[in-house]
Amino acid sequence: MSDSSRGCAIVTGGARGIGAAVAAVLAKEQIGVVIADLLDRDGSALAEALGSNVTFRHLDVTDEKNWLAVISDAEAVFGSPRILVNNAGILDFGSVETETPMMFRHVLDVNLYGPWLGMHHVASRMRVAGGGVIVNISSTAGLTGYAGLGAYVASKWGLRGLTKTAALELGNDNIRVCSVHPGPIHTPMTAGMTDSVAATQPMPRFGEPEEVAAMVRFIAMEATFSTGSEFVLDGGATAGQVLALSSES
């Protein structure tokens, strides 16, 4: 069992991919870790494998009552949440014309409304506990547009903006809020993508979940003067866009 005085970390979408890697790296710290996901079997197995300071709770991030139950359980087992990693997300392919209204709304519900619900309910607990860190997993799709990914891009730009607003509102309470912007990462979500997606990057490869997890740990544990900040892990994919903008100014 973890030291309850240090509170706990809640990792959404923590059963596999980036979330699982984040849960694993945070489990090495002296805090409790709550893996929160819809994937009960995968999440429970991972929690058992990571040790006694890790537990699994079922979470639909779009369900407010579900959020309240998970936060309450986390507090009962480990103490106040001091780290929230909003990682759960979905991807849907479709142009502005072809994507259905139902799917567009569903992507925004999971990728944007879900993180908002988490921050909405965790902030007060963190304030009472003396502070905390919220890390929102956005994407390079929160920095630029991608054809055929309108809902996903909209959700990740929204999460980027929400991160900055929350940082402004919560800074005086010693609550830091940052966003992480991965490029292509080897996860179940990108399983159907070929390596050619990354071929034109300065570092022409996919990233690994553990590389994103290392950044999340750095933000949570070491980047103590960073809030409202964007941390990009994309193999240099967006560097050319930044340079192009600079050359025009």
Side-chain angles (χ1 to χ4, degrees):
M1 188 67 67
S2 67
D3 177 2
S4 62
S5 67
R6 296 197 63 185
C8 70
I10 299 173
V11 183
T12 72
R16 62 184 187 179
I18 291 172
V22 170
V25 77
L26 292 180
K28 297 178 182 178
E29 306 296 331
Q30 296 304 307
I31 57 173
V33 177
V34 179
I35 296 170
D37 205 307
L38 288 172
L39 303 175
D40 296 342
R41 182 177 298 179
D42 291 348
S44 296
L46 178 62
E48 183 175 356
L50 291 179
S52 61
N53 67 320
V54 182
T55 189
F56 172 77
R57 292 294 184 272
H58 180 90
L59 176 64
D60 174 353
V61 296
T62 69
D63 186 324
E64 185 173 18
K65 291 182 179 179
N66 210 177
W67 263 111
L68 290 170
V70 168
I71 294 169
S72 178
D73 286 351
E75 289 177 319
V77 176
F78 294 125
S80 299
R82 301 300 295 269
I83 299 171
L84 171 63
V85 182
N86 281 312
N87 167 73
I90 60 173
L91 177 69
D92 180 55
F93 293 92
S95 71
V96 171
E97 291 181 284
T98 62
E99 190 166 36
T100 67
M102 182 179 296
M103 196 61 213
F104 186 89
R105 289 174 179 174
H106 183 50
V107 172
L108 263 66
D109 279 348
V110 174
N111 294 2
L112 183 56
Y113 177 61
W116 177 84
L117 273 178
M119 291 189 285
H120 178 69
H121 288 295
V122 163
S124 60
R125 271 79 167 186
M126 288 183 173
R127 183 181 297 112
V128 171
V133 185
I134 299 170
V135 182
N136 293 321
I137 307 299
S138 181
S139 166
T140 53
L143 302 172
T144 187
Y146 288 100
L149 290 175
Y152 186 75
V153 169
S155 70
K156 295 303 185 178
W157 275 82
L159 187 56
R160 175 190 176 196
L162 184 60
T163 296
K164 292 185 180 298
T165 295
L168 292 171
E169 295 175 351
L170 301 175
N172 285 338
D173 297 310
N174 195 34
I175 299 171
R176 297 187 293 108
V177 191
C178 294
S179 58
V180 175
H181 298 261
I185 306 294
H186 280 133
T187 68
M189 185 182 289
T190 62
M193 298 181 184
T194 66
D195 290 342
S196 63
V197 171
T200 60
Q201 296 174 181
M203 300 174 66
R205 65 173 178 85
F206 274 51
E208 299 300 331
E210 292 75 17
E211 292 176 298
V212 182
M215 179 61 79
V216 172
R217 184 204 168 278
F218 169 74
I219 296 167
M221 302 292 177
E222 300 182 45
T224 54
F225 198 49
S226 290
T227 193
S229 305
E230 300 162 0
F231 294 83
V232 183
L233 299 93
D234 67 351
T238 59
Q241 296 169 7
V242 173
L243 288 172
L245 289 172
S246 299
S247 65
E248 293 172 3
S249 61

